[in-house]
Every structure is written in C-alpha cells, then in structure tokens.
Amino acid sequence: MNVGANVGTDVDAVGREEALTFGCEGQTLVGIVHHPATTTAASPQAARTGVVVIVGGPQYRAGSHRQFVNLARALAAAGHAVFRFDVRGMGDGTGGLRDFEHIGPDVAAAIDELQRRAPGVQRVVLWGLCDGASAALLYLHDHPDARVAGICLLNPWVRSEASLARTHVRHYYLQRLLQATFWRKLLSGRIAGDAVRALWRNLRLAQQAPAAGPAAPFQSRMAKTWDHFEGSLLLVLSGDDYTAREFTEFTQADPQWRQALARRSAQRHELVSADHTLSAAEDQQAMNAITLRWLAALS
C-alpha cells in the first residue's frame, strides 16, 4: 500500500469520510478525514479551521464507544474538516509503540496531511483526551507550530505516583476515615493488614515532591505551554473520573501550574456525571456541543 493512497471513502449525511495512509519517519499511519458536508451552510471561519483528534491511552482512531467518530461527524456537520488517526505502533499504525511524550512527529504529520487533503484549512485545533490532551501541549512545547490556533483538553493526564496517592487519599481514604463502619471494622480486625499498609503507603507518597532529573518532567513542560500559548484553550473535566481529579489536585498544588493558570485563562467546563471516556451518549453529545461553541468563538 503506497503512503498517501486512498483506501476507501464513505459518503455520509454529515459529509465525505476519506480513509487514507500517510507517512511519519519511515512508518505508515492510517487516518480518516471527515470533509464537511456540501449541504452545510458553514461560516468561512469554520471552513478555515480544521481539527486534529489525538487519541489517548491504548486506543485507536475510533475511540472508546466510537467517541471520536461521533465527535468528528458532529464537527464536520458544522463545517469543519476533521482528522482522526492512529499514531505509530497503535491501531493500524506501523512501527514500535511510543508513549504520549514521543508522538510529536505523528501530530505534525497529521496536521500536514489534513491540510493536504483539505486545502482550505488554514489553522488547526488539537483535540485530545487523557494523555492525548497532554500530548497536544507537549507537541507545542517541543514543536512550536503557528498553524495551531487552539487546544481542547479533555481530562488531561498529569499522573505521578505522588499525584495518584494524593487523589486516593483525598477522594477515597479520607471518606473511609470519616465513616464509623471503617473504624468498627478496623478495631474488630475485619480490615486486612494489606489495606492498612496501602493507606500508609499512599499517605507517604502523597507528601513526596517530584524527583529532580536532567529534563523537566512532562507536567512542567505542559504547564509551560499552557502559560505561553497564544491561541485558545478549552478544558473539560469529567465529574466521575480520577484522572480529572488528579489534574485538579496536581495543578492546585504545583507552583508552576498555579502560576500558569493564574496568568493564562481557559474556557473551562465540567461534565458532572461523565466518566473518563464519556461512555454515556448524552455526555458525548454535551462534549460535542461544548466543542462546537468554543470553535465558533475562535477569533
């Protein structure tokens, strides 16, 4: 299969969906371009603004519960060209698996391909879930790209051992310690020693500061991008998600993040009942609507 060759198209009510392959550092990636429907009375601004979806975690271009398919079709119906794709080593992408800190070249290649397939796109928004959201910030830290006009971050990943421990202590163990049933079980010996040791381990980890190293930790590089990015930022957090809680806890405790959040505002929303991947259809629809309103407001 030749890089850049079309491998299929599908005409949908929301527009043409073009499956293709493209190259990234000698490997072959697979993506889907969602072209706006010809019947859509889109604004010129929408037609100029494309969206690149960066998947998070062990997912491929469709997303959990077809989340990214539904998102792309909703945005294309409003006049935006959208590109969702598999990074190297994931889904149908060839090559070895890379973590989110090392997919900057994949993101750059995807932006290039979207503009090649949709020549009217002059600026791009990066839309990411979990470590896909983190990868969007890290991409701009390592590869400043004037084409990127906005970043949408859904439940960004900032996890470390200490941040996870703090989240567990505050949102799980603290609640347990306030329950009379916990103390009755503890005093009666019905709580296993492993559970008590896990509590103390989390309490110790929660007090730890990040270890110093030769390079800034990824959370620090994310904060630097947030602070200096001149485009528009959209932050959406799920109410029923430890990753979202970790982000809130970490950014409130970390001095660099506190400074970045104070200096650089973002449009922020919380989906109160949503889980990490928006498994409920109504939460996906709410996220799509938030994204569309934010895109419409881009200057």
Side-chain angles (χ1 to χ4, degrees), residues 20-39:
L20 54 90
T21 61
F22 63 107
C24 178
E25 297 190 340
Q27 300 299 328
T28 302
L29 309 186
V30 174
I32 308 289
V33 177
H34 293 254
H35 295 276
T38 56
T39 56

Side-chain angles (χ1 to χ4, degrees), residues 48-263:
R48 291 194 301 268
T49 307
V51 179
V52 171
V53 177
I54 307 174
V55 304
Q59 298 187 58
Y60 80 120
R61 59 191 179 272
S64 299
H65 330 290
R66 294 178 64 77
Q67 175 186 10
F68 304 140
V69 178
N70 297 331
L71 170 71
R73 288 177 175 172
L75 302 186
H80 298 278
V82 184
F83 193 38
R84 52 188 178 87
F85 69 104
D86 295 334
V87 299
R88 288 170 291 173
M90 186 61 65
D92 292 311
T94 66
L97 180 63
R98 292 159 176 79
D99 66 27
F100 67 98
E101 293 189 64
H102 301 99
I103 62 171
D106 307 63
V107 176
I111 296 173
D112 291 342
E113 192 63 25
L114 174 60
Q115 290 193 308
R116 186 157 39 245
R117 300 288 173 158
V121 170
Q122 299 174 9
R123 59 184 187 175
V124 171
V125 162
L126 301 179
W127 193 107
L129 163 67
C130 190
D131 59 25
S134 305
L137 290 171
L138 294 174
Y139 168 70
L140 290 177
H141 178 275
D142 299 333
H143 307 84
D145 191 333
R147 297 172 296 180
V148 178
I151 311 173
C152 174
L153 308 165
L154 172 59
N155 301 326
W157 177 269
V158 293
R159 179 164 298 175
S160 65
E161 272 199 326
S163 70
L164 181 60
R166 283 193 292 269
T167 302
H168 281 166
V169 168
R170 177 168 295 189
H171 296 286
Y172 175 71
Y173 289 112
L174 184 59
Q175 293 180 14
R176 293 290 315 273
L177 290 172
L178 295 176
Q179 294 171 354
T181 54
F182 169 83
W183 292 102
R184 285 197 294 268
K185 288 181 180 180
L186 179 65
L187 294 174
S188 67
R190 285 185 291 157
I191 290 181
D194 287 347
V196 176
R197 285 190 290 273
L199 167 61
W200 289 118
R201 178 177 181 274
N202 276 278
L203 287 171
R204 288 197 304 273
L205 285 172
Q207 302 304 313
Q208 289 184 3
F218 77 89
Q219 300 96 332
S220 175
R221 303 198 305 276
M222 288 170 60
K224 185 175 179 180
T225 302
W226 181 292
D227 195 4
H228 295 287
F229 182 57
E230 295 182 355
S232 180
L233 291 166
L234 171 63
L235 174 66
V236 183
L237 300 174
S238 294
D240 186 18
D241 177 39
Y242 270 126
T243 299
R245 291 176 182 175
E246 278 183 76
F247 179 82
T248 299
E249 302 285 346
F250 185 91
T251 55
Q252 289 176 346
D254 182 78
Q256 185 181 9
W257 264 105
R258 286 203 306 270
Q259 175 180 295
L261 292 170
R263 288 171 42 145

